[in-house]
Amino acid sequence: NAGVTQTPKFRILKIGQSMTLQCTQDMNHNYMYWYRQDPGMGLKLIYYSVGAGITDKGEVPNGYNVSRSTTEDFPLRLELAAPSQTSVYFCASSLTSGEQYFGPGTRLTVT
Amino acid sequence: EDKVVQSPLSLVVHEGDTVTLNCSYEVTNFRSLLWYKQEKKAPTFLFMLTSSGIEKKSGRLSSILDKKELFSILNITATQTGDSAVYLCAVGPRNYGGSQGNLIFGKGTKLSVKP
């Protein structure tokens, strides 16, 4: 039981490049989330999903897209990377409301 | 607007000290308050509180919720260097399109425990 896994761990992008951050959970959780965490700040919700085929925007969705074709996977897509997207990205999952389990994070730098 | 405010933002203590971290909140439809510990990587779950006045305890850590005054405290007794971390408070749910699973996080309290 690996929990929530994320790849890659680190990535450096040039402005305007695109990439996909991968997230997989093996706990059969319905809810999945993408957060970003900037230095000295709490976690801000980017997108979330309440089940396969259902996604919705969180607090800071601009510049990102998601899909949820299976229960296990919830990739986050950055289409045109900007320096403001430099951050640490966490994926999380939960069975229902309440406790969320977090992945190890992806540190992204856009230069 | 829903919000979670933690205080202090940072704290430096010596091993053996007792610390109290604070979390106040304003959420439209409160269901639960959660505490997480974040060291270098992902947040790890500590406690979930849903009822006022009932203390949750795990070793040297304990937490209690006051739903009337809209706050929670996290106590750590006999602190150790391994307690150094950012402690995050989160309250749910925050309604984005009606989802019941969302949490709103505070900025965290950075605790540094010196030997």
Side-chain angles (χ1 to χ4, degrees), chain A residues 33 37 42 48 59 97 100 103, chain B residues 31 36 38 42 96 99-101 106:
Chain A
Y33 315 83
Q37 186 176 37
Y48 69 96
E59 186 179 1
S97 59
Q100 295 182 9
Chain B
R31 178 171 290 179
Y36 286 85
Q38 185 176 25
Y96 292 109
S99 166
Q100 295 299 300

Side-chain angles (χ1 to χ4, degrees), chain A residues 8-15 17 19 21 78 81-89 106-111:
Chain A
K9 287 189 172 60
F10 306 94
R11 184 72 187 266
I12 299 174
L13 281 182
K14 293 189 186 301
I15 294 170
Q17 286 185 320
M19 77 163 294
L21 282 66
L78 282 72
S84 61
Q85 293 177 304
T86 294
S87 191
V88 179
Y89 291 84
T106 294
R107 185 176 294 275
L108 176 67
T109 302
V110 182
T111 62

Side-chain angles (χ1 to χ4, degrees), chain A residues 70-92:
Chain A
T70 67
T71 299
E72 295 78 19
D73 300 307
F74 190 41
L76 177 73
R77 178 89 179 153
L78 282 72
E79 289 294 349
L80 290 170
S84 61
Q85 293 177 304
T86 294
S87 191
V88 179
Y89 291 84
F90 289 102
C91 178

Side-chain angles (χ1 to χ4, degrees), chain B residues 46-97:
Chain B
L46 294 174
F47 299 111
M48 183 166 76
L49 303 153
T50 56
S51 300
S52 269
I54 298 174
E55 186 183 52
K56 293 243 176 149
K57 212 168 160 60
S58 175
R60 296 175 294 101
L61 277 67
S62 63
S63 183
I64 197 160
L65 174 67
D66 185 328
K67 288 167 76 172
K68 183 180 175 187
E69 299 298 329
L70 308 182
F71 79 91
S72 173
I73 59 172
L74 175 68
N75 276 324
I76 308 175
T77 58
T79 51
Q80 302 170 358
T81 55
D83 295 325
S84 295
V86 174
Y87 291 83
L88 296 169
C89 174
V91 175
R94 182 174 191 176
N95 285 317
Y96 292 109

